[in-house]
Amino acid sequence: MAGGHTKSIVWLSFLAFFSVLNETIFNVSLPDIATHFRITPSAANWVNTSFILTFAIGTAVYGKLSDLYGSKKLLLLGLWIYGAGSLLGLFFHSWYPGVLAARMIQGAGVSAVPALILVIITRYIDRKHHGKAFGMVGSMVACGEGIAPVIGGVVTEYLHWFMLFLLPMMMLLTIPIFMRIIPDETSVKGKTDVIGASLLSGGIVAFTLFMTAYQWGYLAVCLLFFLAFGLRIRQAEQPFIEPSLLGKRTFIIGVLTGSILLGTVAGYVSMIPYMMKEVHQLPTSLIGIGVLFPGTVSVALFGIVGGALVDKLGKVFTMSAGLSMIGSSFLIVSLFPDRTPWLVSGAVVLTFGGLSLVKTVVSTFVAATLRPEESGSGMGLLNFACFLGEGIGVATVGGLLTKSWLAFPLLPTVTDAAAFHYSNLILINIAVLVLGGIGFLFLIPYRQWWEVRKTM
């Protein structure tokens, strides 16, 4: 693979582009899906939530398995699972449970890509080409995030939303390439904590259902699963999550901060298409191109800026700047949701820009709390938690969109009755954003100051 590094990097970048595309390509079509099946936004949002949950869990599972079975077998398995899910979505697009099942299978399959692509680069591409490989893959990820709302909107508007199952199947074109360029690997003996992964997955699904339907039975089931999981990781020989990581307070605060903030933004973004449809009557294609696309493009730019700010001005300043940008965006849309839709478009740029700064700070901070031997499992747990936060955020907003008690006039600047619900929901997002930022901006600096003082 070293000799053909350029070709290998191109195909890895191609794979990264379409894996990211899958995560957000259905966003703008959710209102159309709700109309098609005559279901509530909370049910329609599960088209995204089901994908993100299995995607998050799969990312952790593939990462654990790669040391035992190698990356080639797992990547090919993931791509075939993804293809099966996509075909299921095409054939059963008129049946809502079939669509959900297809998205869950898609997430379980395509999660192999982010879990293994960095491993493949590290193992099989010459070290002198690592910078080029990571740079190209990162660029294609940013491109996929930016173009997904546009593609989703155009395909939904001019063809049909179920065709979105077909487009990312181009990933399957990479299978013959990777069969040839990745060398065969020998499996090693080891154990996979299937029981632990199953208990954690059950708890996560139950909690997400609770945040959607607000039925206490789901919460009780969730607590039982998590209790059993906590007992399991203390007894298993090779636990799904290392218990030592859960005892690192600064690490846990960083992970929770990332999960809460990314989940809040994901829920907010999933709400935008509904608001644009109901309040401004925008077509689906225009929601993708005019409202969401400018914001997603800003991710790459602010990601570069965020790295420089952390190095020069520190984590607290950069986090404060990111939270201020997201908070300003939320406040603008909450105050003026029924004005011109282009005001929302500009606010979304602030949201995604601030999110880039927040993600940079969280990743940098969490990495700094880990010892070298903990970095793999620790950063994997961070990614896992952030993906889960996004899924739960989307599900929670979908559930709140069905609550009639939120549809009342509160802010004097909002005059359109159709916008009351969205304005008040964004105020809840602001409250969650503040709570999510408190842990980092206040608890972390205080703890670090106190630990330094104890050593004097």
Side-chain angles (χ1 to χ4, degrees), residues 21 72 97 105 134 175-176 194 212 222 224 250 264 349 392 425 452:
L21 203 70
K72 180 177 182 177
I105 295 171
F134 287 127
I175 289 179
V194 177
T212 302
C222 163
L224 288 175
T250 50
T264 303
V349 172
I392 293 171
L425 180 52
V452 170

Side-chain angles (χ1 to χ4, degrees), residues 17 27 65 108 110 139-140 156 160 185 196 202 205 212 223 226 240 255 268 275 305 351 371 381 392 420 429 450 454:
F17 173 84
N27 270 2
L65 294 178
V110 80
S139 297
M140 292 304 289
T156 301
H160 195 281
E185 302 155 306
V205 172
T212 302
L223 294 176
F226 284 156
F240 187 66
V255 169
Y268 169 76
M275 185 171 69
V305 173
T351 301
R371 298 191 300 270
L381 181 57
I392 293 171
F420 293 158
N429 281 353
W450 180 249
K454 285 193 298 184

Side-chain angles (χ1 to χ4, degrees), residues 335-348:
L335 287 170
F336 310 109
D338 49 357
R339 306 294 170 87
T340 171
W342 312 124
L343 182 65
V344 177
S345 180
V348 168

Side-chain angles (χ1 to χ4, degrees), residues 119-132:
V119 176
I120 292 172
I121 291 174
T122 303
R123 288 180 181 172
Y124 302 118
I125 292 181
D126 287 344
R127 185 178 296 274
K128 63 182 179 180
H129 300 300
H130 279 184
K132 178 180 179 181

Side-chain angles (χ1 to χ4, degrees), residues 13-26 51 55 110 113-114 137-138 140-148 168 171 387:
S13 301
F14 179 85
L15 198 61
F17 173 84
F18 280 102
S19 68
V20 173
L21 203 70
N22 274 280
E23 187 179 352
T24 56
I25 198 169
F26 276 85
F51 177 91
F55 186 86
V110 80
V113 176
V137 169
M140 292 304 289
V141 166
C143 183
E145 290 175 339
I147 203 69
M171 294 174 66
F387 282 132

Side-chain angles (χ1 to χ4, degrees), residues 396-439:
T396 301
V397 167
L400 290 175
L401 283 175
T402 65
K403 303 303 178 184
S404 58
W405 51 265
L406 274 175
F408 66 93
L410 178 62
L411 299 179
T413 55
V414 185
T415 56
D416 187 342
F420 293 158
H421 202 144
Y422 299 101
S423 174
N424 297 335
L425 180 52
I426 296 171
L427 290 178
I428 296 177
N429 281 353
I430 293 174
V432 177
L433 183 76
V434 171
L435 292 175
I438 284 176

Side-chain angles (χ1 to χ4, degrees), residues 76-146:
L76 296 176
L77 175 64
L79 290 176
W80 283 121
I81 292 173
Y82 166 74
S86 299
L87 287 176
L88 181 68
L90 285 172
F91 292 142
F92 293 97
H93 68 271
S94 60
W95 185 42
Y96 175 66
V99 172
L100 290 186
R103 288 292 280 165
M104 292 180 72
I105 295 171
Q106 277 191 317
V110 80
S111 58
V113 176
L116 301 174
I117 199 167
L118 300 183
V119 176
I120 292 172
I121 291 174
T122 303
R123 288 180 181 172
Y124 302 118
I125 292 181
D126 287 344
R127 185 178 296 274
K128 63 182 179 180
H129 300 300
H130 279 184
K132 178 180 179 181
F134 287 127
M136 281 192 64
V137 169
S139 297
M140 292 304 289
V141 166
C143 183
E145 290 175 339

